[in-house]
Amino acid sequence: MIDLSLHILDVATNGFKAGATYVQIKIVEEENDIKIWITDNGCGMSKEVLSQVENPFYTSRTTRKVGLGIPLFKQTCLQTGGSFEITSKEKIGTTIYALMYTNHIDAIPLGDLAETIFVLMMNPYECDILADVTFKDENQKPFVIDTKEIKKILDGVPLSDNAIATWLKEYINEGLSK
Amino acid sequence: MKSLAELKKIREEAANRINLRTAKNGYRVAVGMATCGITAGARPVLAKFVEMVSEKGLDNVTVTQVGCLGECALEPVVEVFDADGNRTTYAEVHVDDVATIVEQHLIGGKVVTDKTLEVIKKAK
């Protein structure tokens, strides 16, 4: 993965496979680090699965023998001296917490977060997405978008409608641009 | 600066358009969006499809995402389903290839032969 926004997309889509109806992403950018929380209300994991999930040679899939999303994200954090934690409870959901130091030589850029949020919102599983971003520049207004709110406004018109999707993409871009 | 109030207006226009839509003869485009696809560049490909489909006013085309399609080495992989459910699988689809697929396949109805999974696999 070349940037954090791709890790966020990758790990957040795990929630869809877990049957989540709500995935919440919180990003707090500070002077020397970025903190990320990704929480889903999917099926969660048992202790056995949880103990294996950071192992690249573990996957719940039967079509192949590796699962790289979580271990890659973890490595990205740890190589900057940061941390990475997963907590999960069966039938409740899973939360991932990632801390990456941005002033470390091995830190990777945040990347196109707008495109990540947009693509997540366009998921075909009817899963709602909340994104909450706080910037290191105190003068910049935090950006919050929640498809639950958006769907209320849309009142039955799908998010994926071409005109709606285009508008949302621009709205997210604007909200995140510095 | 965009506001959610503006979204209401767009919504009304969209709702009218949907009511007018009669034929369901469109395509469904599914972009593989698992770890393998994402690292290979699937996210901008999906965004580009959405952008172009909207730009060209292709109301009967839906763009969606799927998990790993089992061809991790040939990602980004894109599937195009026609109204009868016939599937065309494209491999190594990058942002620059999207326009060709939109114009030739989604508008022109002709498969872009040299980007199909079959042809790309054979060439390797």
Side-chain angles (χ1 to χ4, degrees):
Chain A
M1 301 282 170
I2 53 167
D3 62 48
L4 275 181
S5 72
L6 290 173
H7 279 300
I8 294 169
L9 172 63
D10 185 26
V11 169
T13 56
N14 289 342
F16 303 153
K17 276 166 260 163
T21 56
Y22 200 31
V23 173
Q24 301 174 66
I25 298 159
K26 187 174 167 64
I27 299 166
V28 177
E29 203 189 18
E30 296 196 76
E31 198 48 47
N32 294 319
D33 65 63
I34 294 180
K35 297 182 180 76
I36 299 163
W37 289 262
I38 302 169
T39 302
D40 71 60
N41 65 350
C43 61
M45 290 176 279
S46 64
K47 276 195 185 127
E48 291 72 43
V49 175
L50 193 58
S51 67
Q52 283 294 310
V53 76
E54 291 174 19
N55 171 3
F57 300 106
Y58 175 80
T59 179
S60 57
R61 288 175 58 118
T62 50
T63 47
R64 51 173 159 70
K65 291 199 175 84
V66 293
L68 294 175
I70 297 278
L72 287 174
F73 197 1
K74 184 180 180 181
Q75 184 191 19
T76 293
C77 296
L78 297 190
Q79 75 193 9
T80 69
S83 55
F84 187 87
E85 280 162 37
I86 308 179
T87 46
S88 186
K89 220 172 168 177
E90 277 181 286
K91 292 179 189 153
I92 305 283
T94 301
T95 294
I96 279 163
Y97 166 71
L99 164 68
M100 188 191 81
Y101 286 103
T102 48
N103 56 356
H104 191 282
I105 192 159
D106 291 324
I108 59 175
L110 182 54
D112 191 346
L113 189 58
E115 199 170 82
T116 279
I117 295 173
F118 173 70
V119 167
L120 285 172
M121 284 173 68
M122 291 295 124
N123 77 78
Y125 314 101
E126 308 260 320
C127 179
D128 279 306
I129 306 289
L130 167 86
D132 177 338
V133 187
T134 310
F135 304 93
K136 73 177 158 198
D137 176 4
E138 281 170 18
N139 296 319
Q140 192 176 357
K141 229 177 102 198
F143 177 72
V144 182
I145 189 164
D146 188 347
T147 55
K148 284 186 176 177
E149 302 279 315
I150 304 284
K151 282 177 186 169
K152 265 186 219 156
I153 297 170
L154 292 179
D155 192 18
V157 173
L159 278 175
S160 58
D161 176 87
N162 293 336
I164 306 283
T166 306
W167 186 89
L168 284 171
K169 179 89 198 290
E170 285 165 14
Y171 179 73
I172 301 167
N173 263 335
E174 248 179 39
L176 292 176
S177 61
K178 312 216 159 167
Chain B
M1 194 70 193
K2 288 190 152 41
S3 69
L4 291 178
E6 197 187 355
L7 181 61
K8 269 190 186 136
K9 234 173 66 195
I10 311 252
R11 186 240 162 236
E12 298 310 321
E13 290 162 14
N16 291 334
R17 223 172 345 95
I18 289 167
N19 290 338
L20 290 172
R21 203 179 294 167
T22 47
K24 277 216 164 182
N25 55 353
Y27 289 100
R28 189 164 64 86
V29 179
V31 182
M33 196 65 65
T35 307
C36 45
I38 293 168
T39 41
R43 188 189 67 186
V45 167
L46 179 99
K48 186 76 183 169
F49 267 111
V50 173
E51 184 193 315
M52 281 210 72
V53 161
S54 169
E55 208 177 274
K56 304 271 176 191
L58 307 177
D59 279 342
N60 286 328
V61 176
T62 48
V63 181
T64 181
Q65 45 196 290
V66 290
C68 173
L69 299 164
E71 291 290 351
C72 307
L74 301 175
E75 293 278 355
V77 169
V78 174
E79 292 179 313
V80 177
F81 297 88
D82 69 14
D84 301 321
N86 299 313
R87 179 178 64 182
T88 307
T89 309
Y90 292 113
E92 297 184 342
V93 179
H94 298 288
V95 173
D96 297 345
D97 303 312
V98 174
T100 319
I101 295 175
V102 170
E103 272 154 28
Q104 206 172 307
H105 194 155
L106 304 183
I107 298 174
K110 259 186 73 192
V111 172
V112 185
T113 346
D114 58 340
K115 287 304 288 182
T116 58
L117 177 66
E118 223 181 359
V119 169
I120 287 182
K121 252 189 167 171
K122 220 175 252 172
K124 301 251 164 192

